Amino acid sequence: MVTRSDELRRDALALTEAERAHLVAELLVSLEPPSDDDPSVTQSLWGTEIERRARRVLMGGTQGEDWAVVRQRLAHALDK
């Protein structure tokens, strides 16, 4: 019985050397975990963080700070 992977292997081996190299590279990349540099991963992580922070605020677990106070603190820290 010929399996799907047998068919794919046969078809892949019929490719040119350059095509096989490209296919191998693509397959290897597909096995790696997503990189933090991947925009979709970054967007997902930020979405999760924003939700976490919003829930904490809505549940009364934290209070915000006035932007003028934060800006002054940052300016002071950057002047050092």
Side-chain angles (χ1 to χ4, degrees), residues 37-66:
D37 294 337
D38 182 346
S40 64
V41 172
T42 302
Q43 184 176 0
S44 174
L45 291 172
W46 269 112
T48 301
E49 179 63 16
I50 290 167
E51 284 183 34
R52 184 187 70 78
R53 291 180 186 197
R55 287 176 197 214
R56 194 171 73 192
V57 169
L58 292 172
M59 294 175 72
T62 188
Q63 293 180 339
E65 289 185 68
D66 185 75

Side-chain angles (χ1 to χ4, degrees), residues 1-7 9-10:
M1 180 169 123
V2 177
T3 65
R4 175 106 169 103
S5 61
D6 291 332
E7 291 175 4
R9 184 175 28 259
R10 183 194 68 228

